[in-house]
Amino acid sequence: MGEAIVITSGKGGVGKTTTSANIGTSLALMDKKVCLIDTDIGLRNLDVIMGLENRIIYDIVDVIQGRCKLQQALIKDKRFDYLSLLPAAQTSDKSAVTTEGMKEIVSELKQEYDYIIIDCPAGIEQGFQNAIAGADRAIVVTTPENSSVRDADRIIGLIEKEDMIEPPRLIINRIRNHMMKNGDMLDIDDIVQLLAIDLIGIVADDEEMIKAANKGEPISLSPNFKASISYRNIARRILGETVPLQSLEEEKGFMQKVKAFFKI
Amino acid sequence: MQETKPTITIKGTRDGLILFIDENSSFEEILQDLIKKLDASTPQKEEPVVSVKVKLGHRYLTEEQRHQLKGIIEEKNRFQIEAMESDVIPIKDAKTWLDESQLKVVNQIVRSGQVLETKGDLLLIGDVNPGGRVRASGNIYIMGNLLGIAHAGIEGDQEAFIAASYMKPAQLRIAEYISRAPDYEADGVYMECGIIDPDQNKIVIDSIKTLSKQRKVISAFERRMNNG
């Protein structure tokens, strides 16, 4: 019996989809059976970032409205045997999916897969309700910006009312170490203190991430980048490994190396 | 009148008159007697206004009856009713008082978009995050960070106050007063409280230490008991 994890944030553009793709890929790298679900109906992106756009035949709305079987709509990843994607529809809107339909799909997928990663749309409306409906756990993504933290706070409040196994966990994305050090960005400790949930990982802002996304290759595939290691660490923590929160120190250490390299 | 107890006894004190109203007589009787008694002494023009305290004993007066009584006393002579004291209150009022008197202890984080509202005093163990809101008809005590909006005395109690371990609120509201954070970036303050300063006619933030001087009676319930 697998576990469904929803990746959410409230605010748009903080990196939910990238995070979903990379956590899914990292889990697949560790030989887990993973299924990604894109619930951003009408604005699907996950297939693009995974580089699977051209393989879509059926989508989640087709499954819910009974035009195809679930297995037909699942797209197998080109790199891993046990990584699948259930794409969102591009032509319908979010009302085409119901919470009941979502729950059914997720529980069916849980029979076969170890992890179901649900990519949540921005906002707190129907799309969000659908995405969290079938989830057992939640990961909230935020960036070190006031507006994004504010929305994360709101989302955490909404998730806490749901019936989840544990309180949501936090990823702080797009960290620019030099800005954080100068106090131009919110501090990690301040964010964690305000949101009062467990930190599951931090990811540095990396130009490589944009390149990777454009190529349709999740960055976690190539171990040479710091962001890739961050995602892999997050995946290990999801598996229950205690990768000590040294990860924070690690990141800093790495950043210092980079700084030293550029003689800043 | 026979040897029965008089329905109305008037006592003079230094502060004014006290009207004792017999609790066993009917309301009509009292009104009639009251009119008689007051008519007996016609006021002189230059007489100053005398304040009157009405002691009702174990009698409960409806709002309408209170109004009637007040009308008679204040209209005929130049009396001013200072207080009407009754030893009894209806169960309904008692229950609302009880509700409002309770200190409600809540242990949660009030996050953005959430509203926590209570009757009586509120003790919140946890933070109020930016965008979060706490409201209470009495005082608000926060053992945590107040970063959102706190509104004490929502039913109009201007004596209510807001105390927090750490205060950097977006807004403080007490009764109908509102104060907001300054536009410049300011640090928060530790162990402070917000109260209405009647001299400046606005909400001021001051150290919790000064509170004992400004508010002798902290509990909203005690204040109501005293004020009737």
Side-chain angles (χ1 to χ4, degrees), chain B residues 47-110:
Chain B
E47 220 175 347
V49 178
V50 179
S51 84
V52 177
K53 235 185 213 173
V54 184
K55 296 238 180 205
L56 297 164
H58 288 92
R59 174 193 298 278
Y60 176 71
L61 291 187
T62 61
E63 209 49 50
E64 200 183 325
Q65 287 172 327
R66 270 172 190 260
H67 198 73
Q68 235 176 321
L69 202 61
K70 197 174 151 125
I72 290 170
I73 295 173
E74 288 191 342
E75 181 207 341
K76 294 267 168 146
N77 289 7
R78 292 191 298 171
F79 289 132
Q80 167 130 39
I81 291 193
E82 191 193 322
M84 266 196 220
E85 286 171 6
S86 167
D87 292 344
V88 287
I89 57 161
I91 288 176
K92 202 181 92 202
D93 283 7
K95 277 192 175 149
T96 17
W97 281 26
L98 185 68
D99 258 359
E100 286 171 19
S101 71
Q102 271 158 2
L103 174 70
K104 194 144 185 238
V105 185
V106 181
N107 182 6
Q108 74 165 92
I109 296 172
V110 181

Coordinates of all heavy atoms in Angstrom, one line a residue, chain B residues 47-110:
Chain B
E47 N -32.6 74.4 44.3 CA -32.0 73.2 44.9 C -31.1 72.5 43.9 O -31.5 72.4 42.7 CB -33.2 72.3 45.3 CG -33.0 71.6 46.6 CD -34.2 70.8 47.0 OE1 -35.2 71.0 46.4 OE2 -34.0 70.0 47.9
P48 N -29.9 72.0 44.3 CA -29.1 71.3 43.4 C -29.7 69.9 43.1 O -30.5 69.4 43.9 CB -27.8 71.2 44.1 CG -28.1 71.3 45.6 CD -29.4 72.1 45.7
V49 N -29.2 69.4 42.0 CA -29.6 68.0 41.7 C -29.1 67.0 42.7 O -27.9 67.0 43.0 CB -29.2 67.6 40.2 CG1 -29.6 66.2 39.9 CG2 -29.7 68.6 39.2
V50 N -30.0 66.2 43.2 CA -29.6 65.2 44.2 C -29.5 63.8 43.5 O -30.3 63.4 42.8 CB -30.6 65.1 45.3 CG1 -30.2 64.1 46.4 CG2 -30.8 66.5 46.0
S51 N -28.4 63.2 43.8 CA -28.2 61.8 43.2 C -28.9 60.8 44.1 O -28.9 60.9 45.3 CB -26.8 61.5 43.0 OG -26.2 61.0 44.2
V52 N -29.5 59.8 43.5 CA -30.3 58.8 44.2 C -29.8 57.5 43.8 O -29.6 57.2 42.6 CB -31.8 59.0 43.7 CG1 -32.6 57.9 44.4 CG2 -32.4 60.3 44.1
K53 N -29.8 56.6 44.8 CA -29.4 55.2 44.6 C -30.7 54.5 44.9 O -31.3 54.7 46.0 CB -28.3 54.8 45.6 CG -27.1 54.2 44.9 CD -26.1 53.7 45.9 CE -24.7 53.9 45.4 NZ -23.7 53.6 46.4
V54 N -31.1 53.6 44.0 CA -32.3 52.8 44.3 C -31.9 51.4 44.7 O -31.2 50.7 43.9 CB -33.2 52.8 43.1 CG1 -34.5 52.0 43.4 CG2 -33.5 54.2 42.6
K55 N -32.3 50.9 45.9 CA -32.0 49.6 46.3 C -33.2 48.7 46.1 O -34.3 49.0 46.8 CB -31.5 49.5 47.7 CG -30.2 50.3 47.9 CD -29.1 49.4 48.4 CE -27.8 50.2 48.6 NZ -26.6 49.3 48.6
L56 N -33.2 47.8 45.3 CA -34.4 47.0 45.0 C -34.5 45.7 45.8 O -35.6 45.1 45.8 CB -34.4 46.6 43.5 CG -34.4 47.8 42.5 CD1 -34.0 47.3 41.1 CD2 -35.8 48.4 42.5
G57 N -33.5 45.4 46.5 CA -33.6 44.1 47.3 C -33.7 42.9 46.4 O -33.1 42.9 45.3
H58 N -34.5 42.0 46.8 CA -34.6 40.8 45.9 C -35.7 40.9 44.9 O -36.6 40.1 44.7 CB -34.9 39.5 46.8 CG -33.7 39.1 47.6 ND1 -33.5 39.5 48.9 CD2 -32.7 38.3 47.2 CE1 -32.4 39.0 49.3 NE2 -31.9 38.2 48.3
R59 N -35.8 42.1 44.3 CA -36.8 42.3 43.3 C -36.1 42.4 41.9 O -35.0 43.0 41.8 CB -37.5 43.6 43.6 CG -38.5 44.0 42.5 CD -39.0 45.4 42.6 NE -39.7 45.5 43.9 CZ -41.0 45.2 44.1 NH1 -41.7 44.7 43.1 NH2 -41.6 45.4 45.2
Y60 N -36.7 41.8 40.9 CA -36.1 41.9 39.6 C -37.0 42.8 38.8 O -38.2 42.6 38.7 CB -36.0 40.6 38.9 CG -35.5 40.7 37.5 CD1 -34.2 41.1 37.3 CD2 -36.4 40.5 36.4 CE1 -33.7 41.3 36.0 CE2 -35.9 40.7 35.1 CZ -34.6 41.1 34.9 OH -34.1 41.3 33.6
L61 N -36.5 43.8 38.2 CA -37.2 44.7 37.3 C -36.9 44.5 35.8 O -35.7 44.3 35.5 CB -36.9 46.2 37.6 CG -37.4 46.7 39.0 CD1 -37.1 48.2 39.0 CD2 -38.9 46.5 39.2
T62 N -37.9 44.5 35.0 CA -37.7 44.3 33.6 C -37.2 45.7 33.1 O -37.3 46.7 33.8 CB -38.9 44.0 32.8 OG1 -39.9 45.0 33.0 CG2 -39.5 42.7 33.3
E63 N -36.6 45.7 31.9 CA -36.1 47.0 31.4 C -37.2 48.1 31.4 O -36.9 49.2 31.7 CB -35.6 46.7 30.0 CG -34.4 47.5 29.5 CD -33.3 47.6 30.5 OE1 -32.8 46.6 31.0 OE2 -32.9 48.8 30.8
E64 N -38.4 47.6 31.0 CA -39.5 48.6 30.9 C -39.9 49.2 32.3 O -40.1 50.4 32.5 CB -40.7 47.8 30.4 CG -41.8 48.7 29.8 CD -43.0 47.9 29.4 OE1 -42.8 46.7 28.9 OE2 -44.1 48.4 29.5
Q65 N -39.9 48.3 33.3 CA -40.2 48.8 34.7 C -39.1 49.7 35.2 O -39.4 50.7 35.8 CB -40.3 47.6 35.6 CG -41.6 46.8 35.4 CD -41.6 45.5 36.2 OE1 -40.6 44.9 36.4 NE2 -42.8 45.1 36.6
R66 N -37.9 49.4 34.9 CA -36.8 50.3 35.3 C -37.0 51.6 34.7 O -36.8 52.7 35.4 CB -35.4 49.7 34.8 CG -34.8 48.8 35.7 CD -33.6 48.1 35.1 NE -33.1 47.0 35.9 CZ -32.0 47.2 36.7 NH1 -31.4 48.3 36.7 NH2 -31.7 46.2 37.5
H67 N -37.4 51.7 33.5 CA -37.6 52.9 32.7 C -38.7 53.7 33.4 O -38.5 54.9 33.6 CB -37.9 52.6 31.3 CG -37.7 53.7 30.4 ND1 -36.5 54.1 30.0 CD2 -38.6 54.6 29.8 CE1 -36.6 55.2 29.2 NE2 -37.9 55.5 29.1
Q68 N -39.8 53.0 33.7 CA -40.9 53.7 34.4 C -40.5 54.3 35.7 O -40.8 55.5 35.9 CB -41.9 52.6 34.7 CG -43.3 52.8 34.1 CD -44.2 51.7 34.4 OE1 -43.8 50.5 34.3 NE2 -45.5 52.0 34.7
L69 N -39.8 53.5 36.5 CA -39.3 54.0 37.8 C -38.4 55.2 37.7 O -38.6 56.2 38.4 CB -38.6 52.8 38.5 CG -38.5 52.9 40.0 CD1 -39.9 52.8 40.6 CD2 -37.6 51.7 40.5
K70 N -37.5 55.1 36.7 CA -36.6 56.1 36.5 C -37.3 57.4 36.1 O -37.0 58.5 36.6 CB -35.6 55.7 35.4 CG -34.3 56.5 35.3 CD -33.4 55.9 34.2 CE -32.6 57.0 33.6 NZ -31.3 57.0 33.6
G71 N -38.3 57.2 35.2 CA -39.1 58.4 34.7 C -39.7 59.1 35.9 O -39.7 60.4 35.9
I72 N -40.4 58.4 36.8 CA -41.1 59.0 37.9 C -40.1 59.8 38.8 O -40.4 60.9 39.1 CB -41.8 57.9 38.7 CG1 -43.0 57.4 37.8 CG2 -42.3 58.5 40.0 CD1 -43.7 56.2 38.4
I73 N -39.0 59.1 39.1 CA -38.1 59.7 40.1 C -37.4 61.0 39.4 O -37.3 62.0 40.1 CB -37.0 58.7 40.5 CG1 -37.7 57.6 41.3 CG2 -35.9 59.4 41.4 CD1 -36.7 56.5 41.7
E74 N -37.0 60.8 38.2 CA -36.2 61.9 37.6 C -37.1 63.1 37.1 O -36.6 64.2 37.0 CB -35.3 61.4 36.5 CG -34.2 60.6 37.1 CD -33.1 60.2 36.0 OE1 -33.4 60.3 34.8 OE2 -32.0 59.9 36.4
E75 N -38.3 62.8 36.8 CA -39.2 63.8 36.2 C -39.7 64.8 37.2 O -39.5 66.0 37.0 CB -40.3 63.1 35.4 CG -41.2 64.1 34.7 CD -42.6 63.5 34.6 OE1 -42.8 62.3 34.7 OE2 -43.6 64.3 34.4
K76 N -40.3 64.2 38.3 CA -41.1 65.1 39.2 C -40.1 66.0 39.9 O -40.3 67.2 40.0 CB -41.8 64.2 40.2 CG -42.9 63.4 39.6 CD -44.2 64.2 39.6 CE -45.2 63.5 38.7 NZ -46.6 63.5 39.2
N77 N -39.1 65.4 40.6 CA -38.2 66.3 41.3 C -36.9 66.3 40.6 O -36.7 65.6 39.6 CB -38.0 65.7 42.7 CG -39.2 65.9 43.6 OD1 -40.2 66.3 43.1 ND2 -39.1 65.5 44.8
R78 N -36.0 67.1 41.1 CA -34.8 67.2 40.4 C -33.8 66.2 41.0 O -32.8 66.5 41.6 CB -34.2 68.6 40.4 CG -35.1 69.5 39.5 CD -34.5 70.8 39.3 NE -34.4 71.5 40.6 CZ -33.7 72.6 40.6 NH1 -33.1 73.1 39.6 NH2 -33.6 73.2 41.8
F79 N -34.1 64.9 40.7 CA -33.3 63.9 41.2 C -32.6 63.2 40.0 O -33.1 63.3 38.9 CB -34.1 62.8 41.9 CG -34.6 63.2 43.2 CD1 -36.0 63.0 43.5 CD2 -33.8 63.8 44.1 CE1 -36.5 63.4 44.7 CE2 -34.3 64.2 45.4 CZ -35.7 64.0 45.7
Q80 N -31.4 62.7 40.3 CA -30.7 61.9 39.2 C -30.4 60.6 39.8 O -29.8 60.4 40.8 CB -29.4 62.7 38.9 CG -28.5 61.8 38.0 CD -28.0 62.6 36.8 OE1 -27.8 63.8 36.9 NE2 -28.0 61.9 35.7
I81 N -30.8 59.6 39.0 CA -30.5 58.2 39.5 C -29.1 57.8 39.2 O -28.6 57.9 38.1 CB -31.5 57.2 38.8 CG1 -32.9 57.4 39.4 CG2 -31.0 55.8 39.1 CD1 -33.9 56.4 39.1
E82 N -28.4 57.5 40.3 CA -27.0 57.1 40.1 C -26.9 55.6 39.8 O -26.1 55.2 39.0 CB -26.3 57.5 41.4 CG -24.8 57.4 41.3 CD -24.2 57.4 42.7 OE1 -24.7 58.2 43.6 OE2 -23.2 56.7 42.9
A83 N -27.7 54.8 40.5 CA -27.6 53.4 40.3 C -28.9 52.7 40.8 O -29.6 53.3 41.6 CB -26.4 52.8 41.1
M84 N -29.2 51.6 40.1 CA -30.4 50.8 40.6 C -29.8 49.5 40.9 O -29.3 48.8 40.0 CB -31.4 50.7 39.5 CG -32.5 51.7 39.5 SD -33.9 51.2 38.5 CE -34.3 52.8 37.8
E85 N -29.8 49.1 42.2 CA -29.2 47.9 42.5 C -30.2 46.8 42.9 O -31.1 47.1 43.8 CB -28.2 48.1 43.7 CG -26.9 48.9 43.2 CD -26.1 49.3 44.4 OE1 -26.4 49.0 45.5 OE2 -25.1 50.0 44.1
S86 N -30.0 45.7 42.3 CA -30.9 44.6 42.7 C -30.0 43.4 43.1 O -28.9 43.2 42.6 CB -31.7 44.2 41.4 OG -32.3 43.0 41.6
D87 N -30.5 42.6 44.0 CA -29.7 41.5 44.5 C -29.9 40.3 43.6 O -29.3 39.3 43.8 CB -30.1 41.1 45.9 CG -29.7 42.2 46.9 OD1 -28.8 43.0 46.5 OD2 -30.2 42.2 48.0
V88 N -30.8 40.4 42.7 CA -31.1 39.2 41.8 C -30.9 39.6 40.3 O -31.1 40.7 39.9 CB -32.5 38.7 42.0 CG1 -32.7 38.0 43.3 CG2 -33.5 39.8 41.9
I89 N -30.5 38.6 39.6 CA -30.4 38.7 38.1 C -31.0 37.5 37.5 O -31.0 36.4 38.1 CB -29.0 38.9 37.6 CG1 -28.1 37.7 38.0 CG2 -28.4 40.2 38.0 CD1 -26.9 37.6 37.1
P90 N -31.6 37.6 36.3 CA -32.2 36.4 35.7 C -31.1 35.4 35.3 O -30.0 35.8 35.1 CB -32.9 36.9 34.5 CG -32.6 38.4 34.4 CD -31.8 38.8 35.5
I91 N -31.5 34.1 35.3 CA -30.6 33.1 35.0 C -29.9 33.3 33.6 O -28.7 33.1 33.4 CB -31.3 31.7 35.0 CG1 -31.7 31.3 36.4 CG2 -30.5 30.6 34.4 CD1 -32.5 30.1 36.6
K92 N -30.7 33.8 32.7 CA -30.2 34.0 31.3 C -29.0 35.0 31.4 O -27.9 34.8 30.8 CB -31.3 34.6 30.4 CG -31.0 34.4 29.0 CD -32.1 35.0 28.1 CE -31.8 36.4 27.8 NZ -32.8 37.3 27.4
D93 N -29.2 36.1 32.1 CA -28.1 37.1 32.3 C -26.9 36.5 33.0 O -25.8 36.7 32.6 CB -28.6 38.3 33.1 CG -29.4 39.2 32.2 OD1 -29.8 38.8 31.1 OD2 -29.8 40.3 32.7
A94 N -27.2 35.7 34.0 CA -26.1 35.1 34.8 C -25.3 34.2 33.9 O -24.1 34.1 33.9 CB -26.7 34.3 35.9
K95 N -26.0 33.5 33.0 CA -25.3 32.6 32.1 C -24.4 33.3 31.1 O -23.3 32.9 30.8 CB -26.3 31.7 31.3 CG -26.7 30.5 32.2 CD -27.5 29.4 31.4 CE -27.7 28.2 32.2 NZ -29.0 27.6 31.8
T96 N -24.9 34.4 30.5 CA -24.1 35.2 29.6 C -22.9 35.7 30.4 O -21.8 35.8 29.9 CB -24.8 36.4 29.0 OG1 -26.0 36.6 29.8 CG2 -25.2 36.1 27.6
W97 N -23.2 36.2 31.6 CA -22.1 36.7 32.4 C -21.0 35.6 32.6 O -19.8 35.9 32.5 CB -22.6 37.2 33.8 CG -23.2 38.5 33.8 CD1 -23.8 39.1 32.7 CD2 -23.3 39.4 34.9 NE1 -24.3 40.3 33.1 CE2 -24.0 40.5 34.4 CE3 -22.9 39.4 36.2 CZ2 -24.3 41.6 35.2 CZ3 -23.2 40.5 37.0 CH2 -23.9 41.6 36.5
L98 N -21.5 34.4 32.9 CA -20.6 33.3 33.2 C -19.8 33.1 31.9 O -18.5 32.9 32.0 CB -21.4 32.1 33.6 CG -20.6 30.9 34.0 CD1 -19.9 31.1 35.3 CD2 -21.4 29.6 34.1
D99 N -20.5 33.0 30.8 CA -19.8 32.8 29.5 C -18.7 33.9 29.3 O -17.6 33.5 28.9 CB -20.8 33.0 28.4 CG -21.3 31.7 27.8 OD1 -20.8 30.7 28.3 OD2 -22.1 31.7 26.9
E100 N -19.1 35.1 29.6 CA -18.2 36.2 29.3 C -17.1 36.3 30.3 O -16.0 36.9 30.1 CB -18.9 37.5 29.3 CG -19.7 37.6 28.0 CD -20.7 38.8 28.0 OE1 -20.4 39.7 28.8 OE2 -21.6 38.8 27.2
S101 N -17.3 35.7 31.5 CA -16.3 35.8 32.5 C -15.2 34.7 32.4 O -14.2 34.9 33.0 CB -17.0 35.6 33.9 OG -17.4 34.3 34.0
Q102 N -15.6 33.7 31.7 CA -14.6 32.6 31.6 C -13.3 33.0 30.9 O -13.4 33.7 29.9 CB -15.2 31.4 31.0 CG -15.9 30.5 32.1 CD -16.9 29.6 31.5 OE1 -17.1 29.6 30.3 NE2 -17.5 28.9 32.4
L103 N -12.2 32.5 31.4 CA -11.0 32.7 30.6 C -10.9 31.5 29.7 O -10.8 30.3 30.2 CB -9.8 32.7 31.6 CG -8.4 32.7 31.0 CD1 -8.2 34.0 30.3 CD2 -7.4 32.4 32.0
K104 N -10.9 31.7 28.4 CA -10.8 30.6 27.5 C -9.3 30.4 27.1 O -8.7 31.3 26.7 CB -11.6 30.9 26.3 CG -11.8 29.7 25.4 CD -13.2 29.6 24.8 CE -13.4 28.3 24.1 NZ -13.7 28.5 22.7
V105 N -8.9 29.2 27.4 CA -7.5 28.9 27.0 C -7.4 28.2 25.7 O -8.1 27.1 25.5 CB -6.8 28.0 28.1 CG1 -5.3 27.8 27.8 CG2 -7.0 28.7 29.5
V106 N -6.7 28.7 24.7 CA -6.6 28.0 23.4 C -5.2 27.8 23.1 O -4.3 28.7 23.3 CB -7.2 28.9 22.3 CG1 -7.2 28.3 21.0 CG2 -8.7 29.3 22.7
N107 N -4.9 26.6 22.7 CA -3.5 26.3 22.3 C -3.4 26.0 20.8 O -3.7 24.9 20.4 CB -3.1 25.1 23.1 CG -1.6 24.7 22.9 OD1 -0.9 25.4 22.1 ND2 -1.2 23.6 23.4
Q108 N -3.1 27.0 20.0 CA -3.0 26.8 18.6 C -2.2 27.9 18.0 O -1.9 28.9 18.7 CB -4.4 26.7 17.9 CG -5.1 28.0 17.8 CD -6.2 27.9 16.8 OE1 -7.4 27.7 17.2 NE2 -6.0 28.2 15.6
I109 N -1.8 27.8 16.7 CA -1.3 28.9 16.0 C -2.4 29.5 15.2 O -3.0 28.7 14.4 CB -0.1 28.4 15.1 CG1 1.0 27.9 16.0 CG2 0.4 29.6 14.3 CD1 2.1 27.2 15.2
V110 N -2.6 30.7 15.3 CA -3.7 31.4 14.5 C -2.9 31.8 13.2 O -2.2 32.8 13.2 CB -4.3 32.5 15.2 CG1 -5.4 33.2 14.3 CG2 -4.9 32.1 16.5

